[in-house]
Amino acid sequence: MNWFADCGDQSIMAFDTVNFRKIAALVAAAGTLFWLYTFYAIAHVPPGDGTGFQWLAVFPLGMVFGLFFLPAWLLVAIGRLPRFTAALGVCGLIAFAVLWGQLLQEFPRAVL
């Protein structure tokens, strides 16, 4: 019995048991929930001068959602490219973090 060959097979099998489709679905769900939260957070920003310009933040956030998470949901639904889909979702979460950090600096500090 070749012990080293068995260990190699087990490590490959352990890597194959990681379900990237579930990971991609969880990441896409997290991104979708955060995108929905941004509407709530923007609605509670103090009005400032009353022009409603804080709602312009919806457009770049929507673009991140459309570029990263809609394709991720589509790929999860059809079961294609699960590793790429998980990576796409993680990139979307990073883009949300960077964009949201910039927006928090622009919004008044009262509520957020």
Side-chain angles (χ1 to χ4, degrees):
M1 181 163 107
N2 191 350
W3 185 80
F4 292 109
D6 292 339
C7 290
D9 292 340
Q10 290 174 356
S11 64
I12 292 172
M13 289 177 60
F15 186 70
D16 288 340
T17 59
V18 175
N19 195 340
F20 284 100
R21 187 174 179 194
K22 286 183 183 179
I23 293 170
L26 289 173
V27 170
T32 302
L33 289 174
F34 179 76
W35 180 62
L36 293 173
Y37 164 76
T38 61
F39 288 96
Y40 171 80
I42 291 171
H44 288 86
V45 169
D49 61 357
T51 59
F53 275 124
Q54 71 268 18
W55 285 104
L56 289 176
V58 169
F59 291 106
L61 293 167
M63 287 178 12
V64 169
F65 179 75
L67 290 173
F68 290 99
F69 296 105
L70 285 180
W73 278 120
L74 176 68
L75 290 170
V76 165
I78 63 175
R80 300 286 175 129
L81 303 170
R83 291 183 179 130
F84 171 75
T85 306
L88 184 69
V90 169
C91 290
L93 290 178
I94 293 169
F96 266 150
V98 169
L99 186 59
W100 192 246
Q102 293 294 318
L103 289 172
L104 287 178
Q105 292 177 0
E106 299 292 326
F107 290 150
R109 304 235 189 266
V111 174
L112 300 175

